[in-house]
Structures are given as C-alpha cells and as structure tokens.
C-alpha cells in the first residue's frame, strides 16, 4: 500500500470491467482514485465502497463523454472530489483514459452519427482530457491510454472503432515526446478479448472459441489489464514512454 501513496488518479469508465479493476488496483497501491462513470452511478458507488472496505480511498464522479462540455463537467467533479478527499491540493498524478464504446456494425451499416460518436468518446475525449489535466499534473506524472488489439488484427465489424483506437495510440507517441521534458510518461495498453460482462462470456462454446485465440488458451480477465496499468503507473515504469504494450495474452502472436 505504499507504491502510489500520496498520488491521485482518475480512471475513466471505471464503474465496470477493465476500468473497475484498474481503479481497484491503483487504490490498492495507495492512490486516491476518482472513479468516473458515464451513466451507472450505482455501479460506481459500489466500486468506491469496495475500495474503501479494502482500506483504500476513492470517490465517484459522473460525466457523459462525447457530448459538449463533457471535459468541463468531469473536471469540475474531479476537482471537487480532490478538494474534499485529498490532502488540500488539487492535483492529478495519474490519468487512465479507459472509457470507450464499440461499434459492432459492418462498414456498410456504420452511419455518420455512430461514427461521430465513436470518435467523440474514444479519441476526442482522451485528447481533451489530457489537455485539461496537464496544468494540475505534477512533473513525473503518468498518462495511460487503453487501446485495443484490433489496431493490429482485422475485424471488419469494428473498422470505425479500430480507427479511433489507432488515434489513441498516436496520443501516446506524440504526447510522449512533448511531455518528456517534464518526466511525464504517456503509453498505450492494448487488451485483447477480455471478460467484460457481455452475454457471450456466459456461453461456454463462445468462450472456448475466444480462448483459442490466446497463446494461453483463455480469455483475459480485467485484472490482467489492470496489472499492466498498475505497472505503468509506478516508478518502475519511469523509462517507458510512447510505447504500445501488447496485453492481448498472445493473441497478436498469430
């Protein structure tokens, strides 16, 4: 409970799945965590309660991403939470851009409105969240963006989604160069097939097919990704920046 003692973190999309596991991991390492949610306040409150029961510190903050004023709404909540639960200083040491939506439509069925929403939530919001956090991020901070293995493996049902995740990877590459003088690292983590509450994970035959794509012959668990994020948030990862970390369980190995 000392690696991230005194640190503060914001994890977007933290009411479930990878985001929830990441919030729990960072809080377990000692950080005060802002648990962001888009719509499910009850789920976020449950995450906060679990963290506190385990001896950690967290607070929930709600904001729908991908709409006008989203970043302002989110950071108003984050600032208020840090002021209330923090140590008297409004600062953010760690930003995890995890929130995202998938497309799930063939290219010919992807309309402009759906495309614009994917871009707004998955690419635009992370860009402006980074922009907004930099004035309150101390030197030596951490920005970790959740990308996808679909930037390396084709899935025609998710072309637009994959495009937005490729954009997220560019945030890491170029911001890493820009923020290097401040000792702030910026990296991308790419999950593969990870258990996320989708009904398909309750079908044994489907799980077996998905598991076969991994070198370990299993599907990923949210904690598998959260542990990678936890490492990148730590001081041990101080020499890693602008990187793409394959966290697909060997799915990209072919």
């Amino acid at each position: 409970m000392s690696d991230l003692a005194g640190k503060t973190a914001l994890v977007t999309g933290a009411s479930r799945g990878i985001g929830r596991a990441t919030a729990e991991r960072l809080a377990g390492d000692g950080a005060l965590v802002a648990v962001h949610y888009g719509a499910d306040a009850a789920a976020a409150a449950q995450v906060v309660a679990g963290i506190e029961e385990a001896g950690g510190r967290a607070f929930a903050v709600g904001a729908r991403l991908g709409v006008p004023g989203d970043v302002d709404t989110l950071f108003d909540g984050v600032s208020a939470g840090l002021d209330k639960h923090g140590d008297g200083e409004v600062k953010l040491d760690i930003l995890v851009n995890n929130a995202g939506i998938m497309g799930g439509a063939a290219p010919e069925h992807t309309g402009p409105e759906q495309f614009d929403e994917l871009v707004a939530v998955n690419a635009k919001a992370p860009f402006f969240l980074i922009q907004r956090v930099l004035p309150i991020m101390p030197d030596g901070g951490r920005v970790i963006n959740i990308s996808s293995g679909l930037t390396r493996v084709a899935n025609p049902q998710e072309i637009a989604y994959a495009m937005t995740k490729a954009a997220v990877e560019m945030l890491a590459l170029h911001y890493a160069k820009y923020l290097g003088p401040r000792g702030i690292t910026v990296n991308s983590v790419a999950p593969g097939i990870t258990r996320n509450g989708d009904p398909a994970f309750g079908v044994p035959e489907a799980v077996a097919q998905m598991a076969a794509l991994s070198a370990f012959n299993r599907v990923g668990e949210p904690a598998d990704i959260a542990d990678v994020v936890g490492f990148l948030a730590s001081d041990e990862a101080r020499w890693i920046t602008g990187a793409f970390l394959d966290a697909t369980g060997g799915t990209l190995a072919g």
Side-chain angles (χ1 to χ4, degrees), residues 73-84:
T73 300
L74 176 53
F75 268 84
D76 285 347
V78 170
S79 296
L82 291 175
D83 186 57
K84 178 180 179 180

Side-chain angles (χ1 to χ4, degrees), residues 107-199:
E108 61 270 24
H109 297 141
T110 301
E113 289 186 2
Q114 182 185 24
F115 184 90
D116 288 346
E117 184 182 20
L118 285 164
V119 172
V121 175
N122 296 353
K124 182 179 179 180
F127 176 89
F128 285 101
L129 283 170
I130 295 172
Q131 182 190 77
R132 184 65 178 271
V133 78
L134 289 179
I136 63 170
M137 179 171 281
D139 291 354
R142 300 284 187 266
V143 178
I144 302 156
N145 301 314
I146 304 301
S147 179
S148 170
L150 291 182
T151 63
R152 302 295 193 275
V153 175
N155 178 350
Q157 300 297 312
E158 294 291 354
I159 291 178
Y161 169 79
M163 289 173 63
T164 65
K165 288 302 185 178
V168 165
E169 292 173 13
M170 292 302 98
L171 286 178
L173 179 64
H174 296 277
Y175 258 121
K177 184 75 170 180
Y178 181 65
L179 297 174
R182 291 184 53 190
I184 296 174
T185 67
V186 191
N187 293 292
S188 300
V189 175
I193 298 173
T194 306
R195 200 180 300 275
N196 60 6
D198 188 287

Side-chain angles (χ1 to χ4, degrees), residues 22-57:
T22 297
E24 293 169 343
R25 166 62 195 258
L26 297 180
D29 286 345
L32 167 62
V33 181
V35 176
H36 163 260
Y37 66 93
D40 197 340
Q46 186 180 49
V47 176
V48 171
I51 287 173
E52 291 177 340
E53 288 174 7
R57 297 189 301 154

